[in-house]
Amino acid sequence: MDRKRVVIAGLGDTGVLTAIRLARRFDVVGISVNPGLVSGQELGTRLARPEDWARNYWIAFDRFRELDRVRTVHGTLTGADLSARTVSVRDADGTAWVQPYDALVISTGVTNGFWRQAVLQSAGDVGAGLQKAHARLASAGTVAVIGGGAAAVSSAANIAVQWPDIRVGLYYPGEHPLPQHHWRARKRVERRLAASGVTLYPGHRAAVPEGFDCAAITSGDVHWDSGQSPVHADAVLWAIGRVRPNTSWLPAELLDEHGFVRVTPELRVPGLDGVFAVGDVAATDPLRSSARNRADGLVARNVAAYFTGDRMRRYRPPASRWGSVLGVQPDGLEVFAPNGFAFRFPAWSIERVLQPWIVRRGIYRGVRADEQNFVTNG
């Protein structure tokens, strides 16, 4: 009997894991604007230590052993005909074609600042972007990080640790940073920020110019809607959470009022057979938390259940965000549980246990050794 074909639209963090889980049972086609996994995780490490970040978060598709069964396509999604069960693709070389599917998993993510863009990139483009942002910050005497979420907090802390002579300020609108995390995690991270030399500026809501998309590190004055005097910085990093879902290729009837893909608790797109969505693009809950809670396993199981007629499982979002906030620090890695308590991986265990055994072998089911440094060689 012919194997069913599953198309994974978007091979970011969640898309890659979903493809890995489905590849042994189905013919899987994955479509990505990048020639490898370019993770949206750990922005602070990416900016401050790009080679360290690239070692674990910029991984060519042919290094994943379980993706050997997957046909990965380097191209851009341009449309979808859901009645014909096809998606339209433009390859990296400009060739346009149509890809049929029996099931479609939408995991195209969001655009959010310069570190998550839905543009076609080569390996050289990715490496050059990493080095450009790093060099821009390294040459600054003062850095203003705008935003109070995990990306902003991680960036401020890692910049301060990497370059102790740079004056780093973190500006956010609320009383505390990390408003979507548990209060225990918030308090602990605030102490870590202060210890690293970051100056905290609560109650600062930036006046964002009309049409500004946070797609570059800027310089100059930052003005505030909250009434404070302008602040000048050599480098201004905008991490204000202004995300845009990468859904321009989809019919409007699939989307909610903000452009995210509407889903049922089973991560199915309502009213469409065999269409699912997962990750930041899926409107699961206000935090769109299926991107950070290993929902790849659930959506893969439900895709299989769609073909067999078995009962599907429901996604249950956590009450607050969890996971790593600051990334790997000189004393190790702290991972916060939903209740705010932290589990620490000591520094020695990161490259001896966590990455090789838990991540590369356990989560990704095997990652081959890196044959080149994409940061320096592209």
Side-chain angles (χ1 to χ4, degrees):
M1 189 174 73
D2 290 340
R3 281 161 58 102
K4 298 294 186 181
R5 178 179 290 115
V6 180
V7 169
I8 311 291
L11 289 176
D13 294 295
T14 306
V16 164
L17 290 169
T18 303
I20 286 171
R21 288 181 173 271
L22 289 169
R24 293 191 178 186
R25 298 184 61 182
F26 308 104
D27 287 333
V28 177
V29 179
I31 302 165
S32 173
V33 294
N34 294 310
L37 170 63
V38 182
S39 176
Q41 300 181 56
E42 307 294 4
L43 176 60
T45 306
R46 173 175 175 156
L47 294 169
R49 305 189 308 279
E51 294 199 14
D52 290 347
W53 181 87
R55 185 167 54 250
N56 298 316
Y57 297 101
W58 167 208
I59 305 173
F61 291 138
D62 60 9
R63 290 181 56 202
F64 293 97
R65 296 185 185 277
E66 291 295 314
L67 292 188
D68 289 350
R69 301 178 175 89
V70 175
R71 182 163 70 89
T72 57
V73 176
H74 186 200
T76 303
L77 288 150
T78 59
D81 185 336
L82 302 175
S83 59
R85 302 173 80 90
T86 64
V87 295
S88 299
V89 184
R90 182 179 295 110
D91 277 346
D93 63 6
T95 303
W97 52 283
V98 171
Q99 173 64 56
Y101 63 82
D102 296 303
L104 172 66
V105 179
I106 302 166
S107 56
T108 42
V110 296
T111 291
N112 181 18
F114 60 87
W115 61 95
R116 290 201 287 182
Q117 294 282 318
V119 296
L120 196 68
Q121 296 189 102
S122 67
D125 294 333
V126 176
L130 294 175
Q131 290 290 20
K132 180 181 178 181
H134 176 76
R136 178 75 177 80
L137 293 168
S139 64
T142 56
V143 173
V145 181
I146 314 300
V153 167
S154 170
S155 298
N158 280 279
I159 292 167
V161 170
Q162 180 68 16
W163 297 290
D165 292 336
I166 296 178
R167 288 188 289 114
V168 181
L170 177 65
Y171 300 82
Y172 46 93
E175 184 179 354
H176 300 281
L178 302 177
Q180 296 168 339
H181 285 69
H182 194 280
W183 65 266
R184 292 191 187 96
R186 214 162 37 232
K187 288 182 64 175
R188 184 168 181 84
V189 170
E190 283 181 319
R191 291 195 296 268
R192 295 294 297 259
L193 287 167
S196 67
V198 176
T199 304
L200 304 182
Y201 294 94
H204 283 65
R205 182 177 298 278
V208 183
E210 185 69 28
F212 184 67
D213 65 359
C214 313
I217 298 173
T218 63
S219 61
D221 290 341
V222 180
H223 297 265
W224 311 102
D225 284 338
S226 43
Q228 296 87 352
S229 298
V231 169
H232 181 87
D234 299 328
V236 181
L237 175 64
W238 298 84
I240 58 177
R242 184 169 288 189
V243 301
R244 300 194 309 274
N246 299 324
T247 54
S248 61
W249 61 283
L250 287 169
E253 58 265 26
L254 272 65
L255 312 178
D256 68 9
E257 66 273 21
H258 303 295
F260 296 93
V261 180
R262 293 181 292 111
V263 291
T264 69
E266 294 78 19
L267 303 181
R268 301 183 70 176
V269 177
L272 290 172
D273 281 342
V275 182
F276 300 79
V278 67
D280 280 314
V281 77
T284 51
D285 59 284
L287 300 182
R288 299 185 310 281
S289 59
S290 70
R292 288 161 291 278
N293 289 279
R294 295 307 311 275
D296 54 281
L298 185 144
V299 75
R301 184 188 185 281
N302 286 352
V303 168
Y306 164 71
F307 290 128
T308 61
D310 293 340
R311 187 175 68 87
M312 297 186 185
R313 293 182 180 174
R314 298 165 65 93
Y315 175 71
R316 294 178 173 83
S320 58
R321 287 196 169 176
W322 64 281
S324 164
V325 174
L326 302 182
V328 176
Q329 298 297 297
D331 59 352
L333 173 69
E334 283 188 334
V335 178
F336 292 96
N339 63 7
F341 288 107
F343 176 81
R344 177 183 295 280
F345 290 89
W348 65 265
S349 71
I350 304 302
E351 294 300 332
R352 297 184 192 177
V353 178
L354 176 63
Q355 286 296 337
W357 293 100
I358 298 177
V359 176
R360 295 178 193 140
R361 181 163 294 190
I363 295 176
Y364 289 127
R365 301 181 183 177
V367 178
R368 298 180 178 93
D370 194 0
E371 295 183 357
Q372 69 169 325
N373 187 331
F374 286 110
V375 178
T376 57
N377 298 333

